[in-house]
Amino acid sequence: MPTPPDEAERFLRRTTFLTAAVGQAATDAQTKELAALGLSTKAHGILAMLRQYGPLAQNELSRTMNAAASTVVTLVDGLERAGYVTRRGDPGDRRRNAVEITDSGREIAERADDLADHLEDRFLAPLTPGERDTLRTLLQRLWTPPQPP
């Protein structure tokens, strides 16, 4: 009769632990890479959303990114100071400010995309192309992204 795994082995084999540990390692690496550009992962996400969808209200960014409104305000403030986004009034609703990406915001977002692509290649280097596709497919099945604006 096989001996049962000890508690440490049992813990280290849990998929939830492994995905959290790998996710944290990926987040740490991405944070370090993007810091070289003066961006955080979430700031990069805001720029990506604005490139994809055009001008958005801060509450739309918050919902789309699944981030607290206060976090988005702080991020947009920093992006605005850096010249990567602007806020402008919405002519259809004076209570609403739209956040819009600037040309320099597009440029820094492209650089951030390139860094993220290179990081992903290095991070996933132990996997074959087929394994990478399988991993991506399985993770996408487990995660339900927030709805776009």
Side-chain angles (χ1 to χ4, degrees), residues 2 6 14-15 20-21 32 45-46 57 78 91 96 101 113 120 122 125 131 135 144 147:
D6 67 21
R14 285 194 180 109
T15 304
K32 183 178 176 184
I46 286 174
R96 179 181 186 249
I101 193 167
D113 287 345
E120 184 164 315
R122 288 192 318 273
E131 290 170 330
L135 176 62
T144 305
Q147 293 300 309

Side-chain angles (χ1 to χ4, degrees), residues 19-112:
T19 54
V22 170
Q24 187 61 57
T27 297
D28 292 347
Q30 189 163 343
T31 297
K32 183 178 176 184
E33 294 281 329
L34 290 175
L37 297 178
L39 292 176
S40 67
T41 300
K42 288 186 179 183
H44 181 208
I46 286 174
L47 295 174
M49 292 297 112
L50 295 174
R51 282 190 306 167
Q52 175 72 30
Y53 300 111
L56 296 171
Q58 289 178 171
N59 66 342
E60 292 171 322
L61 282 169
S62 178
R63 187 182 73 248
T64 302
M65 295 183 59
N66 199 26
S70 59
T71 299
V72 170
V73 168
T74 301
L75 290 166
V76 170
D77 286 347
L79 291 169
E80 188 173 41
R81 278 192 302 278
Y84 300 146
V85 301
T86 59
R87 288 180 175 108
R88 62 177 173 76
D90 184 339
D93 184 349
R94 293 183 302 173
R95 298 168 295 163
R96 179 181 186 249
N97 281 317
V99 180
E100 186 170 11
I101 193 167
T102 64
D103 288 340
S104 61
R106 281 181 188 37
E107 290 172 20
I108 198 76
E110 284 293 325
R111 291 177 59 198

